[in-house]
Amino acid sequence: MTVMSITNPVVTPFYDPTTSTFSYVVADPTTSAAAIIDPVLDYNPITREPSTHSARQLLDFVMLHGLKVQWILETHAHADHLSSAQWLKGELDGKPQVGIGAGIRQVQQTFKTRLSLEANFPADGSQFDVLFNDGDKLAIGSIPLEVIATPGHTPDSVTYLIGDAAFVGDTIFAPRYGSARCDFPGGNARTLYGSMQRLLSLPAQTRIFLCHDYPPAGVTPQFLSDPLAQRQNVHLKDAVTVDDFVKMRESRDATLKPPKLLEPSLRANVRAGHLTDPFFNTKLVDAKGVTP
Ligand SMILES: [Fe+2]
């Protein structure tokens, strides 16, 4: 499904049912410049085999439509799926830049210790091409892009506001589902509440594109929302105070299990999607059956 607007980006969602993740291709219809947001790399935890079925869908789409991908943007270092940013960068003409929030340094420092990464692993964000801070501005072709720091789920979480389209990562979920967990290292429920309120204060016509959805059986996953609909978010409505929210979020987080792909995801994603960690002892399996 493609969402179109005359002066705003054309946004095409791609859903990975295994990890319940939405990736997006965001295109400027006047210049064909484009960005890819939160691309998934498939991963088999039994064989430890990464593969490119999901990433190939993105690549095939941008090739089919003649898009010039300038950016591959991560909303944060995901803990539930691996990023295909580096594989896509290698496949795409023009070698797009891979960007993430500057808070990735804190995430890297934390997981360098927790995952016992090599002593010379640089926790300085240098694995990425660009680190973004709140208020940074760039463009996708003729469409302006503003970075909004939205920490709370993780310290590196950012929202990319591209024209009227906000890519919010895990800062807010569908109104019926609520909000993301804040119990990862560096997460903070009080901070997340502030970031969610910031998203609610965006112009009413803003299209809010979600990173995940976990609908009940038989319900189609929801990728699109808006600030008005989010006022009815189950974790915010009825004038929930910040203290109420923190209490709810922390008690809920105490019941959650770690994501199934936590370790491989972070081993890959703190390296910007490079699979250079010895943990990955098998080669990448390309969905076309070719091992690059
Ligand atoms: Fe996340």
Side-chain angles (χ1 to χ4, degrees):
M1 187 189 308
T2 299
V3 180
M4 294 194 68
S5 174
I6 294 170
T7 56
N8 284 308
V10 177
V11 179
T12 306
F14 294 79
Y15 185 65
D16 169 35
T18 304
T19 64
S20 305
T21 302
F22 287 107
S23 305
Y24 296 97
V25 175
V26 187
D28 173 10
T30 57
T31 64
S32 294
I36 294 175
I37 298 184
D38 289 335
V40 169
L41 186 71
D42 306 303
Y43 185 75
N44 182 331
I46 307 299
T47 61
R48 293 192 178 180
E49 216 167 56
S51 59
T52 61
H53 176 77
S54 295
R56 274 227 165 258
Q57 292 180 31
L58 297 167
L59 182 63
D60 290 349
F61 180 87
V62 300
M63 303 287 261
L64 180 67
H65 293 274
L67 300 177
K68 294 168 273 188
V69 180
Q70 300 175 328
W71 290 96
I72 300 174
L73 302 172
E74 302 285 357
T75 55
H76 61 298
H78 306 275
D80 65 316
H81 67 269
L82 286 70
S83 168
S84 58
Q86 296 304 325
W87 182 80
L88 284 165
K89 182 177 178 178
E91 293 290 318
L92 287 162
D93 292 337
K95 302 295 172 255
Q97 293 187 281
V98 179
I100 198 167
I104 187 65
R105 298 188 192 105
Q106 185 182 336
V107 177
Q108 288 175 322
Q109 192 58 57
T110 299
F111 284 97
K112 179 176 181 176
T113 305
R114 294 209 176 196
L115 298 174
S116 301
L117 302 185
E118 63 274 19
N120 62 353
F121 173 82
D124 59 2
S126 57
Q127 301 85 347
F128 295 82
D129 299 310
V130 182
L131 301 184
F132 297 118
N133 290 293
D134 186 53
D136 281 355
K137 291 181 171 58
L138 47 147
I140 308 297
S142 61
I143 303 175
L145 184 160
E146 181 177 350
V147 178
I148 304 171
T150 44
H153 169 59
T154 62
D156 62 335
S157 289
V158 294
T159 289
Y160 299 104
L161 181 62
I162 306 174
D164 71 339
F167 299 87
V168 300
D170 291 2
T171 298
I172 204 162
F173 286 164
R176 68 166 147 62
Y177 193 83
S179 59
R181 63 196 302 171
C182 295
D183 58 337
F184 296 144
N188 184 293
R190 193 166 296 271
T191 305
L192 181 68
Y193 181 89
S195 293
M196 293 173 80
Q197 294 296 337
R198 201 168 170 194
L199 295 180
L200 264 59
S201 72
L202 289 170
Q205 71 274 18
T206 305
R207 294 179 289 167
I208 291 179
F209 289 93
L210 309 170
C211 186
H212 296 289
D213 193 27
Y214 309 94
V219 175
T220 303
Q222 178 180 347
F223 67 88
L224 183 61
S225 181
D226 63 69
L228 285 178
Q230 289 291 6
R231 290 189 188 173
Q232 295 306 311
N233 184 296
V234 291
H235 290 174
L236 295 177
K237 67 179 181 180
D238 301 327
V240 170
T241 67
V242 62
D243 289 333
D244 293 338
F245 178 82
V246 170
K247 197 171 162 190
M248 175 282 301
R249 190 65 263 173
E250 291 181 348
S251 59
R252 185 179 163 96
D253 288 348
T255 69
L256 300 177
K257 293 179 184 166
K260 284 184 204 149
L261 298 182
L262 176 78
E263 182 172 359
S265 297
L266 284 161
R267 285 188 182 278
N269 296 344
V270 296
R271 299 173 195 265
H274 288 288
L275 299 177
T276 49
D277 192 302
F279 181 88
F280 301 108
N281 56 8
T282 58
K283 289 183 180 173
L284 182 70
V285 177
D286 185 73
K288 276 192 170 173
V290 178
T291 303

